[in-house]
Amino acid sequence: MSCALLLLLMSLALAMGTGAAVEIQRPRGVPLSSELENKPFTCLDGSSTIPFDRVNDDYCDCRDGSDEPGTAACPNGSFHCTNAGFRPAFIPSSRINDGICDCCDTTDEYNSGATCQNTCREMGRKERESLQIMAEITKEGFLLKQQLIHEAKRGQEDKQGKLTELQGSKKGLEEKVEALRTVKETAEDPEKEAKERHLKAWEEQKELLRMEKDKTRMAECVTVGDIQRYFRLQSHLELDPDSDGSLSETETQGLLGGADKVDTSTFETVWSGIKDKYLSEGQSEPPAPVETPQEESRDFVSDHDSDHYPEDYAGEEEEDVEDDEEDDHDEEEEEEKVPPTVQTPEKREDDEVSMPPYDTETQSLIDAAQKARDDFDEAERALREVDDQMKNLEKEIGFDFGPSAEFAYLYSQCYELSTSEYIYRLCPFNRVSQKPKFGGSETNLGLWGQWAGPEGNLYSVMKYDHGQGCWQGPNRSTTVKLTCGKETVVTSTSEPSRCEYLMEFTTPAVCQEPASLDEVLHGHTEL
């Protein structure tokens, strides 16, 4: 029996019993869908039963507050707003007659004296307009989604075909690389032998040149008489064994192996011991004696320049002193190039002679081997490129792009949102980042993890983990919530918790097949 008919019958029964018309009203705050009878009321939680006239008597009889939907007597009671023309709603009974209009039909403020206006029809009109706009967006978004699914299917087929093609190319390239490897190794063996022969001949030629130059230098040192040779050696201070600036007769005799004199034939033995230090005529003067290391001479430093010189210099003429000062100044400028205490090794003349070019036959072998190496390297590089392409295709083909691959178009794409301080960048299936607008390094807010939507709507949320670590905190992470839209764009970003970011991202790929506008409005029966 309907509620309206029940109330009508109750009114008629009372009127017949008393002989007067008595109006029986539905209890305030009770939905129209609730069945009411004029009999004892049982609390909805079954805790007790009370006479019907104690419903809405401003006294809470039921523990669940169900007997006082139209008063504020029960703190846990609920009041039903009919809101004809808009959506019905429940509000806490504590808000009844509190001076604030919570129901758009004003029924919650029936006894407070508050001035309320019924706004349900206007709100309903705006709600219908909003629902109509959303229905249009959902419809267009779903049509775009169908296109995305079609393109994804075609793209997957193309990628699979490309992968099959690359697999065939790889097999051919592998065979080519192995064949060219054999050619290269075959060409490199004679090249190596020819280079070794050329180098050996050059080393032998250098040795002959060195021996000829060595004989020439020894001849410069040798003179007709032994006495002349004796004194000739004394003029070569670079042979001084104790580096005291002079070569005494005893020291010179020691260089000659202890003999007073030697003949030309036996001088070759002496020459082998001194030739590395011997400076030919016309070569640079021997280096100055090794100075005392800086650590040992610190005790002799004073505030007067004269303290830097030995006593032997004290009696020299003023001109010599000035010349020495100028020489010292020049030496200081050249100090960084050649340290004064280090003798520059004599450069062997044969070191300056470059190796002669290869003969025609050797050069031909080198050119042939180099061409074989170039061909092998090019084939090997092509094989690596095919391997890389195959890996990328296999990775993309194996990705979870949704039930019908509708999210495949997001792969390798990036979308940005600019705020007053940062530029946020979302690269689906890759990473999320944040970069200051006015300079500074980029911060990784998370790498692609998985789909993380609720059961039944898995593909509505993306999760990105393992971002850059926060100071004394966890690694950053980002949750991306997907909503239906005609465009693909990041609409908002926030940080609800420290180092945990939230993005709103609209895409037609998440749009579901829309209901008709009538069906949508039917879901809001009061509209």
Side-chain angles (χ1 to χ4, degrees), residues 159-380:
K159 291 180 179 66
Q160 190 62 55
K162 180 65 174 176
L163 181 60
T164 303
E165 180 183 339
L166 288 173
Q167 288 170 343
S169 298
K170 179 181 178 181
K171 184 177 180 181
L173 282 172
E174 287 175 338
E175 295 174 353
K176 183 178 180 181
V177 166
E178 290 307 313
L180 290 175
R181 189 194 307 277
T182 301
V183 173
K184 178 177 76 75
E185 292 173 352
T186 302
E188 285 177 338
D189 288 340
E191 175 200 38
K192 180 180 179 182
E193 293 174 359
K195 281 185 172 181
E196 288 176 349
R197 285 196 302 268
H198 183 85
L199 181 61
K200 182 179 179 181
W202 168 233
E203 291 293 341
E204 292 173 352
Q205 183 181 354
K206 282 199 301 181
E207 181 62 21
L208 291 174
L209 289 172
R210 187 192 64 77
M211 291 174 64
E212 289 296 328
K213 291 177 181 178
D214 194 39
K215 288 180 180 180
T216 302
R217 292 176 67 228
M218 186 178 72
E220 292 176 358
C221 184
V222 174
T223 57
V224 178
D226 295 327
I227 300 299
Q228 290 179 346
R229 182 186 304 115
Y230 178 85
F231 285 104
R232 186 108 176 219
L233 287 178
Q234 280 188 296
S235 66
H236 286 268
L237 299 182
E238 72 274 11
L239 302 177
D240 182 11
D242 58 7
S243 301
D244 62 354
S246 64
L247 190 61
S248 66
E249 294 181 6
T250 303
E251 291 174 331
T252 307
Q253 187 176 0
L255 295 176
L256 296 175
D260 293 333
K261 55 184 179 180
V262 292
D263 55 24
T264 302
S265 61
T266 58
F267 185 72
E268 292 183 4
T269 304
V270 176
W271 173 249
S272 64
I274 67 173
K275 64 181 181 180
D276 291 337
K277 294 183 179 180
Y278 179 83
L279 296 176
S280 300
E281 300 297 334
Q283 286 184 294
S284 58
E285 293 296 327
V290 178
E291 297 179 2
T292 305
Q294 185 177 357
E295 289 78 0
E296 298 177 5
S297 61
R298 285 176 181 169
D299 296 336
F300 299 99
V301 177
S302 72
D303 296 333
H304 302 285
D305 292 339
S306 61
D307 293 339
H308 292 275
Y309 301 95
E311 295 179 359
D312 296 340
Y313 287 85
E316 292 187 357
E317 294 181 1
E318 186 174 349
E319 293 179 357
D320 296 332
V321 174
E322 292 177 356
D323 292 340
D324 290 341
E325 289 178 353
E326 292 177 0
D327 292 340
D328 290 344
H329 179 69
D330 294 337
E331 289 174 3
E332 288 175 2
E333 293 180 348
E334 297 295 326
E335 185 176 6
E336 294 183 0
K337 297 182 180 179
V338 181
T341 59
V342 178
Q343 179 179 353
T344 303
E346 180 183 355
K347 187 173 183 179
R348 292 175 54 175
E349 295 180 8
D350 57 311
D351 291 340
E352 299 178 356
V353 181
S354 59
M355 184 174 67
Y358 295 111
D359 57 75
T360 304
E361 182 181 356
T362 301
Q363 188 61 50
S364 298
L365 293 172
I366 293 173
D367 293 342
Q370 186 58 48
K371 184 179 184 307
R373 281 189 290 270
D374 292 341
D375 292 344
F376 172 78
D377 291 342
E378 184 178 352
E380 200 173 43

Side-chain angles (χ1 to χ4, degrees), residues 414-482:
C414 292
Y415 305 89
E416 291 185 350
L417 174 67
S418 181
T419 65
S420 59
E421 296 183 57
Y422 299 100
I423 296 176
Y424 291 89
R425 185 176 177 86
L426 168 63
C427 300
F429 309 111
N430 188 356
R431 68 198 298 265
V432 182
S433 63
Q434 172 199 67
K435 186 175 183 180
K437 292 184 69 173
F438 307 104
S441 59
E442 187 177 71
T443 301
N444 180 5
L445 302 185
L447 302 175
W448 166 248
Q450 59 187 352
W451 294 103
E455 185 177 356
N457 196 15
L458 178 65
Y459 299 96
S460 63
V461 177
M462 288 176 157
K463 187 65 177 178
Y464 295 78
D465 299 306
H466 308 298
Q468 187 172 327
C470 285
W471 171 250
Q472 295 184 341
N475 288 342
R476 291 173 171 83
S477 62
T478 302
T479 299
V480 179
K481 290 187 177 181
L482 280 61

Side-chain angles (χ1 to χ4, degrees), residues 77-97:
S78 295
F79 181 87
H80 181 263
C81 302
T82 304
N83 291 343
F86 187 53
R87 287 183 281 106
F90 280 95
I91 64 172
S93 295
S94 58
R95 297 183 184 179
I96 303 301
N97 293 321

